[in-house]
Amino acid sequence: MKPFLTFVLVAGTLSSAQVHAATYDGSHLSPVQLGGIYGVSYGGEEIGPSVTVTGNGLTNKMSVRSGNLHFWMARVAVNINPRGGMIIDLGRHWHHYDENDGDVQFSRYRVSVIPFYRDHHSLRWGIGPTFDFDTKYQADLPSVGSVRESFDPAFGIVADLSYDPLETFYTAGIKAQWINYQSSKGTNVSGSHIAVYIGIELDY
């Protein structure tokens, strides 16, 4: 339910950017904005054994995915001029099931640097490098016991489209990341995914 609600909120916010069609003239520009974002993502590959997940009257065997599911990030937006700047995000991305027959999780920390162009409706378009670190898979399952697997730090590419109406404090966006993870055990998985997010950005 959370991912669906987040998607609805983001879609509504991005649509309002075109409905209001208020021309951005740079008069509300702050050199630095500080805030944070929360989002949901889908992608990657299934990792490890599955667990029994019950919800909405249904029971399914599910595994965590290397591109899912939730992320929190602190955000700094540097506005170099009315039409361009840079976004710096730092936070954690994870997928976790804690069920009666097991506890499984795939998580990583991430820093992204995204140069962007801002159009006259305050839509920001950007693409830049991302660096994921402290990436790990953890499982505690009666069938296999305790499993811990660490993955090497990895570089990737992230593309970001966000709506940032500078007269208010909120933001919303969509993003896509392309990245691969490799562990010391030889496991190689894709963490590429698409995501939607909402957040706040306050003038500093």
Side-chain angles (χ1 to χ4, degrees):
M1 193 62 178
K2 267 187 180 180
F4 175 74
L5 290 175
T6 303
F7 174 79
V8 170
L9 288 171
V10 171
T13 303
L14 291 174
S15 297
S16 72
Q18 301 304 319
V19 172
H20 293 306
T23 299
Y24 166 65
D25 59 7
S27 60
H28 297 276
L29 185 70
S30 173
V32 177
Q33 296 166 276
L34 304 178
I37 60 173
Y38 164 77
V40 293
S41 66
Y42 178 78
E45 304 174 34
E46 291 188 350
I47 300 179
S50 59
V51 294
T52 304
V53 179
T54 302
N56 299 321
L58 300 174
T59 299
N60 296 292
K61 299 294 285 186
M62 304 289 288
S63 296
V64 291
R65 298 183 66 91
S66 54
N68 285 11
L69 174 66
H70 304 282
F71 58 89
W72 286 103
M73 292 192 177
R75 167 167 286 189
V76 178
V78 180
N79 298 301
I80 298 173
N81 58 53
R83 288 289 175 257
M86 183 177 298
I87 290 172
I88 303 170
D89 289 336
L90 172 62
R92 185 171 182 262
H93 194 170
W94 74 96
H95 191 191
H96 183 209
Y97 288 123
D98 186 1
E99 306 298 329
N100 292 333
D101 62 342
D103 183 352
V104 291
Q105 179 174 262
F106 183 80
S107 64
R108 59 278 196 203
Y109 288 90
R110 174 176 304 130
V111 59
S112 302
V113 179
I114 309 169
F116 67 81
Y117 167 78
R118 186 195 303 274
D119 72 10
H120 63 284
H121 291 305
S122 210
L123 283 170
R124 296 180 301 200
W125 310 72
I127 187 168
T130 184
F131 179 68
D132 287 19
F133 59 98
D134 195 23
T135 304
K136 55 192 174 185
Y137 170 78
Q138 303 175 83
D140 291 292
L141 302 165
S143 58
V144 297
S146 179
V147 178
R148 300 289 185 271
E149 187 169 3
S150 296
F151 291 76
D152 297 333
F155 285 96
I157 297 293
V158 60
D160 187 282
L161 167 63
S162 61
Y163 176 49
D164 175 39
L166 294 175
E167 297 86 352
T168 65
F169 62 85
Y170 69 88
T171 187
I174 57 177
K175 63 170 58 189
Q177 183 184 14
W178 296 269
I179 195 167
N180 289 299
Y181 306 116
Q182 184 166 359
S183 77
S184 56
K185 297 181 180 180
T187 305
N188 194 339
V189 296
S190 169
S192 300
H193 61 269
I194 57 174
V196 295
Y197 65 85
I198 54 176
I200 59 172
E201 292 182 17
L202 304 174
D203 292 349
Y204 178 72

